Structures are given as structure tokens and as C-alpha cells.
């Protein structure tokens, strides 16, 4: 990915990551610890300060069904239906 990322894109990605976490009913700690991520790193991702690591997002998908298509592109089509409903409502 290019270094000249649009800050609005990062914020949107962070908002989708946060919406997914909330849809799962989890606190940040409930996600970052099992994924092996530090608290500050996860907070930077959710707040849109940094782009989430794709390798960690792949582990997130394995653990909870949150797809990288949703996180990075906003495509909810591959999310489990019950999760997609909640996530889409959260970002609307």
C-alpha cells in the first residue's frame, strides 16, 4: 500500500474495526490479547491512526469471522449474517 494514505480512509477502516468488535460484544482487550497485539497498537488501528496489520486481520477472521474485505473495503457480503446485520447498523 502507498505511504500517502488518505487519513479519512484510515478513520473509516478504524470505524469498521471498532464496529466489528462491538458487534461481537467484546472489549478491545478481548481482541488484542488473543491476537498478540499490544493495547496501543490496537487503539491506533481503531482510532484510524494506523493501518491494521493484514496478518493480524487474517487471524481475526479465523477467530471471529470478521473478513478483511469488511475491514479494508467495507464489503460485508462474506460476514456471517447475524454479525453483518449488527456491524452494518453500527456504522450507519
Amino acid at each position: 500500500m502507498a505511504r500517502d494514505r488518505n487519513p479519512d480512509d484510515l478513520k473509516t477502516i478504524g470505524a469498521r474495526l471498532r464496529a466489528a468488535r462491538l458487534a461481537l460484544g467484546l472489549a478491545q482487550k478481548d481482541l488484542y490479547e488473543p491476537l498478540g497485539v499490544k493495547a496501543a497498537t490496537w487503539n491506533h488501528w481503531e482510532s484510524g491512526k494506523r493501518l491494521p496489520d493484514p496478518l493480524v486481520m487474517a487471524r481475526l477472521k479465523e477467530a471471529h469471522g470478521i473478513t478483511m474485505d469488511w475491514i479494508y473495503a467495507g464489503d460485508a457480503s462474506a460476514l456471517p449474517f447475524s454479525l453483518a446485520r449488527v456491524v452494518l447498523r453500527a456504522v450507519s
Side-chain angles (χ1 to χ4, degrees):
M1 295 198 166
R3 288 223 174 259
D4 57 342
R5 292 180 190 101
N6 181 339
D8 291 336
D9 291 343
L10 290 177
K11 295 252 184 237
T12 301
I13 290 169
R16 286 193 292 258
L17 189 59
R18 181 177 187 273
R21 176 180 60 78
L22 294 175
L24 292 168
L26 299 173
Q28 283 187 349
K29 186 175 185 177
D30 297 330
L31 280 182
Y32 69 72
E33 279 187 348
L35 295 172
V37 176
K38 294 181 180 181
T41 299
W42 189 269
N43 188 43
H44 284 155
W45 294 346
E46 275 198 18
S47 64
K49 293 178 183 172
R50 298 244 162 86
L51 190 66
D53 182 326
L55 296 175
V56 176
M57 295 301 101
R59 291 195 309 263
L60 177 65
K61 195 247 184 241
E62 289 175 17
H64 298 285
I66 304 298
T67 64
M68 289 195 286
D69 287 340
W70 164 250
I71 298 299
Y72 295 110
D75 179 1
S77 64
L79 290 173
F81 179 74
S82 60
L83 188 59
R85 223 179 32 204
V86 176
V87 166
L88 291 172
R89 208 174 354 196
V91 294
S92 300

